[in-house]
Amino acid sequence: MTGIPTLTTKRLTIRRAAESDFDAIHELSARGWGDGSNIKSEEAREESRQGLEWNLLNDLFPRLRWWNDRLITLTDTQKVIGSIALVPMPLPLDAVINGSDSDMGQVAEISMIWVLLPEYRGSGYATEAAGALVDFAFKQFKLKRIIADTERENKASQGVMRRLGMTLYENKSVKLDWLEIIGVLNNPEMGTGQS
């Protein structure tokens, strides 16, 4: 199985990162995932460098294919406004939703994560990018379902999940703030079940 190629939508290009994207990736890390206060920190820059190297490495080795981080750019300007990825979630979905230790032996899930720079939120870009990635993953990777997760107070991400058609569940098992709400989207052509 190969990774994710460049995807395009009406307004966006979703593409692999390159070494030349370091500054944009660092800004996204500092301002998208954080409040921007660490943008000049050498430690934060090193973490961004390691993240870029991990991303590039995953594109080279098919065995690492389930960490497919892609940049979201505006097609017209090629400005990097966010990132989106398919990543392995090492916790079985049914156990997390049901709070059942008996489900802990199940196969891990494929989860989708996204982030946008603050000034590009609220314009439908996350839904547009996520929809393109879902369509590709369901058709090309033949996944039975994709999940996403977020904090209880992150209503924007929950809105993206709902617009994608995901069913939202509350985590009843694992106590992690980013895993408080879980969205599940089944592939309509594959029925329900795990990937």
Side-chain angles (χ1 to χ4, degrees):
M1 179 185 315
T2 59
I4 301 166
T6 298
L7 304 174
T8 57
T9 68
K10 183 177 179 181
R11 302 179 293 171
L12 304 173
T13 300
I14 301 148
R15 64 169 176 81
R16 290 185 168 112
E19 284 284 343
S20 60
D21 292 311
F22 174 75
D23 288 335
I25 289 168
H26 179 59
E27 179 185 15
L28 190 57
S29 178
R31 294 185 52 240
W33 293 111
D35 63 6
S37 61
N38 69 342
I39 198 161
K40 294 187 179 185
S41 157
E42 282 305 315
E43 182 179 338
R45 288 185 67 78
E46 180 56 29
E47 286 177 13
S48 295
R49 171 64 57 200
Q50 290 174 3
L52 175 58
E53 289 172 2
W54 173 253
N55 195 348
L56 297 173
L57 181 69
N58 277 291
D59 282 332
L60 293 175
F61 296 99
R63 289 179 157 217
L64 303 174
R65 67 183 172 265
W66 285 124
W67 191 281
N68 280 281
D69 199 358
R70 296 293 183 259
L71 296 179
I72 302 169
T73 65
L74 296 175
T75 300
D76 291 346
T77 64
Q78 291 305 301
K79 164 75 175 155
V80 175
I81 64 168
S83 72
I84 190 164
L86 292 178
V87 300
M89 182 179 142
L91 302 169
L93 178 65
D94 294 333
V96 173
I97 292 172
N98 299 325
S100 167
D101 290 339
S102 64
D103 293 325
M104 282 298 187
Q106 293 181 352
V107 175
E109 300 286 341
I110 299 302
S111 180
M112 183 170 48
I113 59 174
W114 59 83
V115 65
L116 292 176
L117 291 170
E119 61 269 29
Y120 294 98
R121 296 174 186 161
S123 298
Y125 292 130
T127 303
E128 193 172 325
L133 186 56
V134 164
D135 288 346
F136 174 81
F138 278 170
K139 289 175 186 166
Q140 299 300 315
F141 294 156
K142 308 293 187 209
L143 297 178
K144 290 186 179 178
R145 66 184 179 191
I146 292 176
I147 65 169
D149 51 75
T150 193
E151 301 89 353
R152 212 171 268 109
E153 61 272 5
N154 191 339
K155 302 301 182 193
S157 281
Q158 292 170 43
V160 171
M161 292 178 200
R162 284 189 181 94
R163 285 187 292 281
L164 290 172
M166 288 184 161
T167 302
L168 275 56
Y169 299 93
E170 188 164 344
N171 174 352
K172 295 181 180 171
S173 179
V174 181
K175 304 302 178 211
L176 297 168
D177 60 355
W178 50 267
L179 194 59
E180 292 173 335
I181 301 295
I182 301 157
V184 179
L185 183 63
N186 292 310
N187 185 338
E189 294 183 16
M190 302 285 288
T192 61
Q194 291 182 296
S195 58

